Structure formats: C-alpha cells, structure tokens
Amino acid sequence: MLEGNIGYINITSFDSECAKEFKTIYENLTKANITSLIIDLRNNGGGIVSEALDIADYILEKNQVILVTKDKDGKEEIEKSTKNPIINLPIVVLTNGNSASASEILVGALKDNNKATIVGEKTFGKGVIQELFTLSDGSGLKVTVEEYYTPNKNKINGIGITPDIEVASSEDIVVEIEQDKQLQEAIKILKNK
C-alpha cells in the first residue's frame, strides 16, 4: 500500500500459481480500500504465458483480445478474455528494458485495450513462443514455433513496447521509493485520476 490509497504489486516472474497469488494480493489490497493500482513488471523476464493471460483476464472486459499469435504459415490464433473483470481501478504498469516475454503480453493487452497507463522504459522485445524438444542423447533443441503480437497486431519481437510515458530508471541499484523516478511518476498519475 502506497500513499494516496494506491495498491502496489510487483510481479518478478510469471511462475506457476502467479495469477492466483496476484488475485489474493489484490483482494487483500481492496480490503485496505485502494483506489488505484500499480503493477510493477520491471526486470520481469517472463515465465508461463498462461499466468500472464489469467492476470489480463482479471482486468479486461469479457471477449477483449489479449493476444494474437501467428505460426510460420501466418495462421492466426486470437486469445480473448473469458470473464468479467474483477479489477476496475485506474492502473499504471511499470516497465523497463528487462520486461520481456510474458510481461510484454500483459503490457500489450492492457495498453492496447486502454486498461492501463504504461510508464518507464521500452520493453525487451521477446515476442516468440518456443518449444523444447528432448533428443535421444538427452540434449535439447529449442524451436521457435510461433510469434505473438499485441491485440492491435503490433509486433513485439525485436521491437519491444514503448510506454505511454517514458521515464528513465533511477539507477541499476535498488533505490528508496522517494528516489524511484518511474514509481514516483506512476503515483503522480494515479493521484490525478
């Protein structure tokens, strides 16, 4: 909980049960009467895509596009939200150059559907889905099988997602809340909503 009844959730990676933990933390923050939310995806290199999709599903309206994937033949699959949103607050998402993969899926879904203001630095630009095949000698082969795009069909791979408001990071070291320029910008935005 930050000043001004702003809830803050830092997602370091999209591990198993991440979406469930996110929901529990959000529900606890609502008991403390938050009026807005900051989701910090800085330095989140990704993880399990379905976890990011589930979090997007908590925020987007039912049937909004979360993700578009294309295979090598250009065949598209569109992933849409399946539930009514449980989060109906102003949201700011923090990003930097280490926000990648599943983080970019969540950022793209929220940005393209106008559900959050993105603050920070351009994301990494890892927009591919890979499968790992185990070979008979025990070694593995990672093959890119699909590329994913934001709901507005913006390419992510090799490009990244530009935030709505660009703010350079304070430094590479951990800083106090007061010196975190990106976080301070997010707080300022939400106080004015």
Side-chain angles (χ1 to χ4, degrees):
M1 182 75 124
L2 302 174
E3 61 180 288
N5 289 355
I6 300 170
Y8 172 87
I9 301 176
N10 181 13
I11 304 174
T12 56
S13 68
F14 291 95
D15 296 329
S16 178
E17 303 290 313
C18 173
K20 186 176 169 185
E21 288 176 37
F22 176 91
K23 184 179 181 189
T24 300
I25 293 167
Y26 172 75
E27 288 169 347
N28 289 335
L29 286 169
T30 59
K31 291 174 189 167
N33 297 316
I34 61 168
T35 55
S36 56
L37 180 65
I38 295 171
I39 301 172
D40 193 342
L41 296 178
R42 294 176 295 181
N43 301 316
N44 180 326
I48 302 168
V49 170
S50 62
E51 297 294 325
L53 297 175
D54 287 347
I55 292 172
D57 213 346
Y58 296 150
I59 300 167
L60 300 179
E61 300 296 326
K62 189 174 183 176
N63 292 319
Q64 283 189 302
V65 175
I66 300 174
L67 175 68
V68 177
T69 58
K70 291 183 187 178
D71 66 15
K72 63 181 175 56
D73 298 322
K75 182 180 170 224
E76 280 185 5
E77 278 188 39
I78 296 174
E79 183 84 33
K80 293 184 178 183
S81 54
T82 59
K83 305 175 191 97
N84 291 319
I86 62 167
I87 301 174
N88 289 301
L89 302 171
I91 298 172
V92 170
V93 177
L94 297 175
T95 62
N96 66 9
N98 295 320
S99 304
S101 194
S103 291
E104 292 170 297
I105 289 173
L106 182 56
V107 170
L110 299 182
K111 182 177 181 178
D112 284 5
N113 287 294
N114 299 310
K115 285 295 197 170
T117 302
I118 314 305
V119 172
E121 298 166 309
K122 184 186 255 192
T123 62
F124 183 81
K126 183 183 184 288
V128 293
I129 297 171
Q130 297 173 317
E131 287 185 12
L132 183 63
F133 296 94
T134 304
L135 303 177
S136 59
D137 66 357
S139 62
L141 176 67
K142 195 182 278 190
V143 178
T144 299
V145 293
E146 291 180 308
E147 186 171 10
Y148 55 80
Y149 297 80
T150 70
N152 291 343
K153 298 187 180 180
N154 295 316
K155 183 179 171 91
I156 297 171
N157 200 49
I159 296 171
I161 299 171
T162 301
D164 298 307
I165 300 170
E166 292 193 62
V167 178
S169 63
S170 302
E171 293 181 22
D172 288 336
I173 58 169
V174 175
V175 294
E176 297 296 319
I177 289 175
E178 295 77 26
Q179 282 96 35
D180 186 335
K181 292 185 260 180
Q182 294 167 336
L183 182 58
Q184 288 303 315
E185 181 65 25
I187 291 169
K188 185 173 96 179
I189 290 166
L190 292 172
K191 281 184 171 179
N192 292 323
K193 291 240 180 209

